[in-house]
PDB file of all heavy atoms in Angstrom:
ATOM      1  N   ASN A 118      60.417 149.888  92.142  1.00  0.00           N
ATOM      2  CA  ASN A 118      59.591 150.142  90.984  1.00  0.00           C
ATOM      3  C   ASN A 118      60.323 150.945  89.857  1.00  0.00           C
ATOM      4  O   ASN A 118      60.222 150.653  88.678  1.00  0.00           O
ATOM      5  CB  ASN A 118      58.268 150.840  91.294  1.00  0.00           C
ATOM      6  CG  ASN A 118      57.257 149.870  91.865  1.00  0.00           C
ATOM      7  OD1 ASN A 118      56.496 149.282  91.108  1.00  0.00           O
ATOM      8  ND2 ASN A 118      57.259 149.776  93.141  1.00  0.00           N
ATOM      9  N   LEU A 119      61.200 151.863  90.273  1.00  0.00           N
ATOM     10  CA  LEU A 119      61.961 152.584  89.322  1.00  0.00           C
ATOM     11  C   LEU A 119      63.076 151.680  88.683  1.00  0.00           C
ATOM     12  O   LEU A 119      63.333 151.806  87.513  1.00  0.00           O
ATOM     13  CB  LEU A 119      62.651 153.824  89.951  1.00  0.00           C
ATOM     14  CG  LEU A 119      61.679 155.011  90.077  1.00  0.00           C
ATOM     15  CD1 LEU A 119      62.358 156.173  90.933  1.00  0.00           C
ATOM     16  CD2 LEU A 119      61.214 155.564  88.766  1.00  0.00           C
ATOM     17  N   LYS A 120      63.617 150.821  89.555  1.00  0.00           N
ATOM     18  CA  LYS A 120      64.585 149.852  88.912  1.00  0.00           C
ATOM     19  C   LYS A 120      63.970 148.935  87.944  1.00  0.00           C
ATOM     20  O   LYS A 120      64.568 148.578  86.968  1.00  0.00           O
ATOM     21  CB  LYS A 120      65.239 149.053  90.045  1.00  0.00           C
ATOM     22  CG  LYS A 120      66.340 149.729  90.781  1.00  0.00           C
ATOM     23  CD  LYS A 120      66.933 148.822  91.813  1.00  0.00           C
ATOM     24  CE  LYS A 120      68.111 149.497  92.546  1.00  0.00           C
ATOM     25  NZ  LYS A 120      68.771 148.551  93.459  1.00  0.00           N
ATOM     26  N   GLN A 121      62.645 148.591  88.180  1.00  0.00           N
ATOM     27  CA  GLN A 121      61.898 147.693  87.204  1.00  0.00           C
ATOM     28  C   GLN A 121      61.757 148.469  85.935  1.00  0.00           C
ATOM     29  O   GLN A 121      61.643 147.888  84.790  1.00  0.00           O
ATOM     30  CB  GLN A 121      60.642 147.307  87.818  1.00  0.00           C
ATOM     31  CG  GLN A 121      60.779 146.160  88.826  1.00  0.00           C
ATOM     32  CD  GLN A 121      59.385 145.836  89.508  1.00  0.00           C
ATOM     33  OE1 GLN A 121      58.445 146.614  89.311  1.00  0.00           O
ATOM     34  NE2 GLN A 121      59.347 144.793  90.239  1.00  0.00           N
ATOM     35  N   LYS A 122      61.714 149.722  86.011  1.00  0.00           N
ATOM     36  CA  LYS A 122      61.539 150.598  84.753  1.00  0.00           C
ATOM     37  C   LYS A 122      62.948 150.963  84.193  1.00  0.00           C
ATOM     38  O   LYS A 122      63.016 151.835  83.300  1.00  0.00           O
ATOM     39  CB  LYS A 122      60.715 151.874  85.133  1.00  0.00           C
ATOM     40  CG  LYS A 122      59.343 151.563  85.566  1.00  0.00           C
ATOM     41  CD  LYS A 122      58.563 152.805  85.866  1.00  0.00           C
ATOM     42  CE  LYS A 122      57.164 152.512  86.332  1.00  0.00           C
ATOM     43  NZ  LYS A 122      56.350 151.602  85.519  1.00  0.00           N
ATOM     44  N   GLN A 123      63.929 150.301  84.661  1.00  0.00           N
ATOM     45  CA  GLN A 123      65.320 150.451  84.169  1.00  0.00           C
ATOM     46  C   GLN A 123      65.912 151.841  84.305  1.00  0.00           C
ATOM     47  O   GLN A 123      66.649 152.270  83.480  1.00  0.00           O
ATOM     48  CB  GLN A 123      65.450 149.963  82.746  1.00  0.00           C
ATOM     49  CG  GLN A 123      65.067 148.519  82.609  1.00  0.00           C
ATOM     50  CD  GLN A 123      65.006 147.996  81.162  1.00  0.00           C
ATOM     51  OE1 GLN A 123      64.984 148.776  80.250  1.00  0.00           O
ATOM     52  NE2 GLN A 123      64.960 146.664  81.006  1.00  0.00           N
ATOM     53  N   VAL A 124      65.563 152.446  85.433  1.00  0.00           N
ATOM     54  CA  VAL A 124      66.223 153.776  85.860  1.00  0.00           C
ATOM     55  C   VAL A 124      67.370 153.415  86.668  1.00  0.00           C
ATOM     56  O   VAL A 124      67.328 152.528  87.509  1.00  0.00           O
ATOM     57  CB  VAL A 124      65.141 154.622  86.602  1.00  0.00           C
ATOM     58  CG1 VAL A 124      65.867 155.900  87.053  1.00  0.00           C
ATOM     59  CG2 VAL A 124      63.971 154.948  85.737  1.00  0.00           C
ATOM     60  N   SER A 125      68.546 154.092  86.435  1.00  0.00           N
ATOM     61  CA  SER A 125      69.762 153.762  87.159  1.00  0.00           C
ATOM     62  C   SER A 125      69.606 154.083  88.589  1.00  0.00           C
ATOM     63  O   SER A 125      68.973 155.031  88.992  1.00  0.00           O
ATOM     64  CB  SER A 125      70.916 154.511  86.513  1.00  0.00           C
ATOM     65  OG  SER A 125      70.885 155.848  86.714  1.00  0.00           O
ATOM     66  N   GLU A 126      70.320 153.316  89.440  1.00  0.00           N
ATOM     67  CA  GLU A 126      70.231 153.536  90.883  1.00  0.00           C
ATOM     68  C   GLU A 126      70.867 154.909  91.304  1.00  0.00           C
ATOM     69  O   GLU A 126      70.400 155.561  92.245  1.00  0.00           O
ATOM     70  CB  GLU A 126      71.002 152.432  91.691  1.00  0.00           C
ATOM     71  CG  GLU A 126      70.866 152.481  93.136  1.00  0.00           C
ATOM     72  CD  GLU A 126      71.208 151.256  93.906  1.00  0.00           C
ATOM     73  OE1 GLU A 126      71.393 150.212  93.139  1.00  0.00           O
ATOM     74  OE2 GLU A 126      71.302 151.250  95.017  1.00  0.00           O
TER      75      GLU A 126
END
Side-chain angles (χ1 to χ4, degrees):
N118 280 274
L119 281 172
K120 280 184 178 181
Q121 288 175 345
K122 296 180 183 307
Q123 298 174 346
V124 176
S125 71
E126 187 164 350

